[in-house]
Structure formats: structure tokens, C-alpha cells
Amino acid sequence: GGKKSGGDGGVGDGGGGGGSDDVAAEGETDDAAERARVARRAKSILAAVESKLEKRRAPDFVDARPAMSAVLEMLSRGDSMPLRSEEGAALAATAAGAVAWSERLRRTLVRPRSSAGAHAAAVEDTATALRVVVQSIRAAIADLEGTGEPPESEEGQFCLCRQPGGKEMIGCDECGDWYHLRCVQVTANFARTAKHYVCPACRASAPDGDVFEINKPETTHRHIHRTRRASLATLGEALLESISFRGRPEEEDLLVQVFETHKKWRDAVAEAKSRRAKVAEIEAKTQFAKREWEEAEAKAAVPRDARLERAKGVRDRAAAVQQAQVLAGATAMAAALLGAGGGGTAAAALEATQRCATLPPEQQLDALGQQVAAAAAIKQQQLMQLKGAVAAAAAAGLAGGDASQESVAAAADSAGPFEALLIAQLQELGTFVHQLATSQQHIQAQLAAASGTQDLAAQQYQVVIQVMMLQQHYVALSKQQDVQLETLGSGLLEQQRVVAAAAAAAMEQDEEDDPTAVQAETPREEAPNEEAPKEEAPEPVGPPADAAAAPEEERNEEEKAAAEASPMPAPAADADAAEGAVAAPAPEPAISPGEPKAEPKTEPPEPKAEPLPVPAEDATRDDAAVFAADVPAAEKETEKEKEAPAPRPVARRKKAPEQASEEELALAAAAKAAKAAYDEAAAVLAEATRPSPARQMLAGLKSALAMELDHDPSDPELPILLREVCGAAWLARAEKTLAPALALGAFSEPDFPTVAASLDSSVFPTLGVLTRLRETGVASGMIVPGLEAPAPDALGEKVYRLERLGQKWLDRAADAVDKRNDVPVDAVKALMAEGKALPINLKEELEELGERCEVYCVCETAYDATRPMISCDNCEGWFHYECCDMRPPTPDEPEDEGARFTCPPCCEKNGATYAPFRPPPDRAAAPPPPKEKEKEKEEVSEEASEEDDASKEKPAKPAKPAAEAPAEPDAAPAPSGRGARRSRRG
């Protein structure tokens, strides 16, 4: 007693009655032997039953025994006869045995009404109970061979009880099954108001679920089962006994049906497992095909995504150019619309002021007010129509863009700055109108206050001055508003031109030279050279009549060719070409005396430098000839270059959309083939999972747990179903729990998993976590204790072995902390080293066990609250009074504050003679040494020991005024130089 069986925190409080490793091992061995014995007996009974049933299955088998009802009828007839016979006595014994057997079977199967569950009211006799058992087994077979889906009619099998439906039921949102409110312990109010409900079976199979929600028969299914759920071995024993009767009881045929139906259920479980294994292979192939397809698709996506990203960049740059064009066009249009209003401008204001200058001041003020009102009305109309007009122009394609919805919205947004400026200008005009009204009232008051003619003239003069100032203010305000509009429009246009230029520059990378345009232009440029020889003519001896016109025609043809080479010349280029045409030297024809000189058709260009001096003899030459003769050679070359047509820019065109590369096409083909393989595997899987084995297993598990038989732990059927439903979630938790230990190779040794003692144990699970993991592993079918065959899962075996080792270590630690066992310190240290080597977080247990390893005094024993101790003023170590040859103080004796104590080891170290300051102890009354105490404990009776354990608590350590706790054994002593201290009994 007094040992912990598991859990977190502490190894025990020393209150047990002894116990040792041998006792614990012997108890565990006895339990294992008992379980083995029960398993062997059940196995032999079932083997005998199977042998009997095998004989009954023979075609020529005939049971010649009469029915037990006929035997009882014959016995009742014999009782009325006035004679006794041996046959009658044998019949009476058979009848009595059958009645007793039937009664025992009834007590084995039928539950009393006080413990009846939700459906137990219908079970009142043995035959009915056996029929219920057969019905529950057949229901389990139907679930394993069915679709696993909830039935469409209420006559099917629902709920954990696998009974027909009813009125008060709730549906699961995960599996779709319906459950009786009584079976899942749900109230009607919850069923009406719940928006989402998950049944216990689905909660147990979830990754973070608890298997005990479905596989804890004493709590989960206690209210569902309708019988006592006898084991198959118990029913087999009853069947063997009934076969030995001379009459055949009625229940015997039902018992045979139970075993025959149970055998079919086992075959159905084996078939479902085999089918699930085949489906698992197909699922593995499908998953492999899916991974292959995903990898191929990922490889093909790299070049494809890069190409699509580049195409998106091209579209974005084109959209940016279009957006810039739209904004620039819309801004220009908005500026034009505002500038074309005609009212409120500075010119109009100045013109109106000049027109009204001859009117009286009062009329000038009225005209000024009307002019301001008209200007405000025009701005108000512009404000209301600006955005709509710009949007309509953009929609019509007048502002650039493609007239799309985005372009129209962008154009409408571009009018926002102009609208804000118009609102501000309207506010300024409103302020001026208010000022004008105030001035009118002031002028009227001034004129009304004038008394005489001279005063009236002075007031009128001031009125004229005020009117002029108001007119000048309005003209200045109009000019300011015009400048604001012009500045805003030009600024926005400049910004948008910069943005458009940047967008166009960015878009240049999406263009390329157009070789077809260059080839088409080449013949056009060479045409004049080919026709030149045709125009050449032999030089005449005398000048022809039209010789002066020929150079002019040639120049016109050259200008025409230059114009064809440059289809869009600038105005400056046209002027230069005209100047070049005039300044080009021409052959001088013979001029007869008195013939008038021909005037040039074009004006001569303005000279850029001072004219050179002209000789007198050449004064009669025409201006063109003189200019051609006097121009230097360098300037002539410059003029020829000007005459030559400007080089035509190389034509550009938009690059063709980028096509997929050969590598991309190959990767896409590989991905397509992998996708086809995956689709084929998925189709095979879909065909193989009709019906779904997983849903069949879930329905079969619910039927197996609702079966009216207590499953033998050694039978593999229930663990198979549990593993299929809840095993994956348990494996995930177990892998997460043991991940640190597995990563460190803790299970390299099969018999004793260990890790380095220097590792941080906080990463390992506690013993309580391992115990919970083992219990849930057993409930999930992943751990089968006492199984002779190989474990169903290697990880479950590791969890089971590690938890058993932890429990054994905890039992030994509980014995070590028990003060009455006097375990040697070396043994405790070895036990601590063993606990640190386990991949289990035993921090609290090791701390409690470590207190047992701290030794004090010269006797090097653990702390004992029954033996008073004193602290050394030099090393601050703790020593027993009697070990230092001093008598302990009594509880009533006051402390000697002036006394100083130096322990014997310190005296020996300093070369001084130890001198106790208290009288020697009474050896007869002193407590026995540790070795003698162990002998005395063996003589104490068990009853006295239990009473002592119940009343005694572990006393606290004596508190040191200076150090608060004894120094560690390995720590160096720290001298304090204070007075002697002593501790009393706790």
C-alpha cells in the first residue's frame, strides 16, 4: 500500500505499509497468470463448442434427444403413477438439472428492471434475451455488408443502439446518422436549438477526439444494452452443459444460433478488413498518382507562370499608356470646356468695365453685380456639367482610350481637380458679391447723408472712387481665376504628359523593328535614282527657250521626293527646305541686254551673318547668283545637307504574343499525362469505394459496441474495427507525444528505452500523459495487452512498454521515499540515474526522490525530523547533537545565543581540538543508529504501522535563521561567524 499507480507529481508520501520490488513484481505476475489462465479456459471452451457445432453441421447429423418440454410432460405423467422407477428418477434428475441450468442462464442474460436501459423493458425471459443477442449480431452483420449510409425509412438501424428510428432523434452533421435523444443523452431543448451536432462516434474518430466517448461500455453503452452482455465463453459453457442433457432445452437451439451467427459476423469482419486492405492499396496508388501529377503540374507551372507574368506586364504597360492618354485627353478637354465658357474672364470683365465707364456710379454698380452674377451662373453650370461632359466624351472615344467602362470612369475622375477649383472660385465670387452689396448700401447711405451741393459733389467723387476700386478688384479677381484655371490645366497636362512619356518609354520594350516596313520603303527611296538617267539630255549649243525653267522644275521634283520620303515634316523643316530651294545655285543663262530679270517665286531667307562685300562689276547679277557665288564651300555643304531629306525613322511594331517554349510544352504534356493517370486511378478508387469501406467500418463498430455480447479481449474483431475508425487519430497523438524520444533514438534498445541523462526532460511526456495514452490506445485497438501474436502497431507497443517501465520505476521510487525502508543513498542515486535515463518527464518525482539523497552530519544520513540538528558557524553544515557528543536540548530549554559551535570536521581541518559546549548525550535514551532502527521496524506489528501511517505526516525541515536551508552536499561551506543555532523537534 501507499504506492502511486501513475499520474503526475510525486512518488508517494511515505505512508505505505512497506512494499518492495519483489512484491510488486509478484503481484503483476499473478495478474498476468490469472489473465492467461482465464484466456486458456475460454479458448478451450470455444474450441469444444466449435467441435460440437462442427458435428451438428454434418448433413447426416440427427439429434435423437427429445425436447425438454416433452421430458417435463413425461415426468409430470409419471408423477401421477403410484410407483417409482429408475427411469423416472433419471428423468427427474434431468429435469431438475435443466431447470437449474435455465435459471442460471436467465440470471446470466436478463437484466433486472432496476438497471434496465432505454430498451431493456422488452427482455424478461431467457429465450427473449437470446433472441435479442442473435438480433444484435445480425444487425452488426447487416452494417458490415451494407452501404454504411443511414437508412431512408424508420425501419432501418439507427443510433448507437442500432434500433429503428423514433420521434425524438437528432441528426449528426458529420456522418448523417440519426440518434435517439436517450441514447446520446441529449435533451429535447438542445435538439431543437442546436445548429451543429456531432455524434459520439464522429467525435471519437476526430484527430483531437476522445475514444472513450464511444468505447467505454460501462458508461457509454450501459443505458443502451438490453441484456447483461454475457461473454461468448460463458454462453459456450452453458451450451456444452445443455448438450449433455438427455432432453434438448428450448434455449439450446437459440444458443446454437448465437454461435453460428457470431461466426458469420467474424467472417464479415474479416471480409471487411480484406476489402479495406485492398481499398487501402488502391488509395496508396491513387495518392502516389496524385503526388506525381502535383509535382509535374508544379514543374510545368514554373515556365507557364513566368510567361503569363510577362504577358500580364505587357498588358499592364499597354493599359498604363492608354490610361495616361485617357487622362491627358480628358484633362485637355476639361480645360477647353472651362476656357470656352465665355463669362467671368479678365477680358470680358475689362470690356464690361470700359463699356460702363460713362454710366453713373449707381448704374455701374448694378452692371457690375449683373456681370458677377452671370459669371457665377456660368461657373455653376460648368461645375454641374463638367464631369458628365468629360465622361460622355470619353464614352464617345473623343478623349482617347477604348471607350470602356474603366476609361470613362478614369476620365470622369480627371475632372475632380477642376471641380474643386470651380467650387473655390464660386466661393470667392460669393465673397465678392457680399462685398459688393455692402458697398452699395454704404454708397446709398453716403449719398443720402449729403446736405449741400459741395458735400454732395464730394460724396459723389468718393462714390466714383469706390466703384472704380470695385471694378478693378473684380478685374483682378477674374484674371486671378483665369490664371488659376490655366495653371491647373497646364500643370495637370504636364504631369500627365510625363506619366504618358514614362508609360510609353516602358512600353518600348514590348515593341520591335518592323522589317516589312523597311523593305517596302526601299524601292520608294531608290526610284529617283533610277529615273535620273532618263531625265538627262545632251547639252545644247545654245540655251533653249525654257532653259531657265528647267532647274526650277528639277528643284520642284527634288522637293516632292523629299516630301514623299518624310510624310510628316515639321513646319521648320518646310521652311528650311524652301530656303534651300531658293539659295541653291542655278546655271546662269545668257541674258540679252535690256531683258528684264526674272523675280524668284520664294522670298530669300534671312541671312544669319553680315553680307559679304559685292564687287561693282557683279552688281548686275541677280541676287540668287551673287549669293551662290559668294557663299563659302563649308556653307555650301551645309546648305546641301539641309536640302537633303531628313532620315526617316525606323518603323516599329508591337511584338507578337509570347508563345510557349518547347520546354514548357514538354512539361505541360507530362503534367497532362500525369493528370490522366491520376484520373484513371481516382476512377478505380471511386469504383472500389462503392460502398465506402470506411463508412461500413464505422457502422460496423457501432453495431459491435451495441452487440449484446461481452467481447473477449483476445478476439481480434473489435480491435480491428476500432483501429479502422479511431486508430489514425490515436497514432497522430502518439507520434506527437513520442516525437522527441523517437528523434533521439530512445527505443534503440528493445527492452529498455533510454536517453542521455543530460537532456532536458521537459520535452518528454509525463507519466500521466503516457498512462492516458496507453488507456486510449487499448480503447482504440492499437494496444492489445497480453496478445501472443505480434502487436497490431509498433508504436502502440512502444507506448505500452514505456508506460509499464515508468510505472515500475515509480513503484520503486515510492518505496525509496518511505522512511521506514532505509534504502541506501547509493541505491537511491542509482534509481535517480535510471529515472533520468527514461524518456519520461519525471521532474517532480525526481525532485522528491532527490531529497532522499541529501545527507548531513558526520554520519552521512538523510534528514530525519526526529533527530535534532545544529548548524556549524564555520561551514554552515548541519550535524546531529549526539554525533557531536552533545545532548540535544529539550523543547522547553531556551537557546544559548552567545554560544558558538564549530563542527568536528572544521576543527580537524583548522588543527584545533574539538570541544563540545553541551554535556554528553544519554546513550541509553538516545535514538538507535540507522542500522538498529531497521531491525526494530521489522518487529513492529502491521496494525501499529498502519495507525502510524495515518497519523504521521512528513515533518518540515528546520529553518535556519541565516541560510534558510541546509547547504547542498557538493557546495562549498560558507562561514558566517554567528552564534550557535539548534533546531527542535518538528
Side-chain angles (χ1 to χ4, degrees), residues 28 64 86 152 189 199 228 258 268 334 391 645 666 678 730-731 760 779 816 822 964:
E28 187 172 343
E86 295 180 359
E152 298 180 358
N189 185 30
C199 66
R228 289 182 178 271
V258 168
Y678 168 65
W730 184 89
L731 277 178
D760 184 13
D822 276 336
E964 295 185 3

Side-chain angles (χ1 to χ4, degrees), residues 447-804:
L447 295 176
S451 58
T453 304
Q454 185 177 1
D455 190 12
L456 180 60
Q459 293 296 334
Q460 289 179 350
Y461 178 76
Q462 292 181 1
V463 168
V464 171
I465 297 300
Q466 292 180 6
V467 171
M468 292 177 62
M469 291 178 63
L470 288 173
Q471 290 174 346
Q472 291 178 1
H473 184 195
Y474 176 66
V475 171
L477 180 61
S478 300
K479 183 179 294 185
Q480 178 185 353
Q481 290 184 352
D482 290 346
V483 171
Q484 288 176 349
L485 285 172
E486 183 180 358
T487 304
L488 177 62
S490 60
L492 290 176
L493 286 174
E494 183 62 26
Q495 292 178 4
Q496 290 163 3
R497 275 195 291 268
V498 171
V499 173
M507 195 177 176
E508 288 181 359
Q509 60 182 316
D510 303 328
E511 297 178 350
E512 62 182 0
D513 296 341
D514 190 358
T516 58
V518 174
Q519 293 175 2
E521 292 170 2
T522 302
R524 184 181 299 176
E525 294 176 356
E526 295 177 354
N529 297 333
E530 295 176 357
E531 296 176 359
K534 296 180 181 180
E535 295 179 358
E536 294 180 356
E539 207 173 303
V541 177
D546 55 351
E552 186 67 25
E553 293 177 359
E554 293 178 1
R555 286 197 297 270
N556 292 336
E557 291 179 0
E558 291 177 359
E559 291 177 2
K560 189 182 296 183
E564 291 177 358
S566 179
M568 297 178 64
D574 294 342
D576 294 342
E579 293 177 3
V582 174
E588 296 183 5
I591 303 174
S592 59
E595 185 178 355
K597 183 180 176 180
E599 293 294 331
K601 296 181 179 180
T602 58
E603 296 180 358
E606 296 181 0
K608 297 183 180 179
E610 294 294 331
L612 298 175
V614 182
E617 61 268 22
D618 296 334
T620 59
R621 298 180 184 177
D622 60 336
D623 296 338
V626 172
F627 182 79
D630 295 335
V631 172
E635 293 186 8
K636 290 182 179 180
E637 294 295 332
T638 304
E639 294 297 334
K640 290 180 180 180
E641 292 177 1
K642 289 183 178 180
E643 293 176 7
R648 186 174 183 179
V650 180
R652 303 279 290 177
R653 68 179 181 183
K654 189 176 181 180
K655 291 181 180 179
E658 183 181 359
Q659 301 298 326
S661 62
E662 294 183 0
E663 179 185 2
E664 181 182 348
L665 293 176
L667 292 175
K672 184 177 180 181
K675 179 65 167 58
Y678 168 65
D679 292 340
E680 183 180 356
V684 174
L685 178 62
E687 185 65 25
T689 53
R690 294 195 191 100
S692 172
R695 300 190 68 88
Q696 285 180 326
M697 289 288 190
L698 178 60
L701 175 61
K702 289 187 284 187
S703 297
L705 294 174
M707 192 181 296
E708 301 294 338
L709 283 176
D710 187 12
H711 298 278
D712 192 340
S714 61
D715 291 341
E717 287 77 21
L718 182 60
I720 287 174
L721 298 174
L722 288 169
R723 283 196 296 272
E724 291 295 333
V725 176
C726 306
W730 184 89
L731 277 178
R733 290 194 297 270
E735 289 176 356
K736 183 178 180 180
T737 303
L738 296 184
L742 293 173
L744 297 172
F747 295 92
S748 57
E749 298 183 11
D751 297 331
F752 189 74
T754 58
V755 293
S758 59
L759 293 176
D760 184 13
S761 63
S762 60
V763 300
F764 301 127
T766 61
L767 193 56
V769 172
L770 282 176
T771 302
R772 174 75 177 182
L773 194 60
R774 176 186 60 82
E775 293 174 352
T776 54
V778 173
S780 302
M782 304 303 295
I783 299 176
V784 183
L787 184 64
E788 298 180 358
D793 186 77
L795 190 59
E797 185 66 20
K798 292 176 181 177
V799 170
Y800 180 75
R801 188 169 71 249
L802 182 59
E803 194 271 340
R804 290 290 90 193

Side-chain angles (χ1 to χ4, degrees), residues 422-441:
L422 285 176
I423 292 173
Q425 291 181 355
L426 284 172
Q427 292 176 354
E428 292 176 354
L429 290 177
T431 303
F432 181 77
V433 168
H434 177 71
Q435 183 180 356
L436 184 61
T438 304
S439 298
Q440 286 180 341
Q441 295 176 0

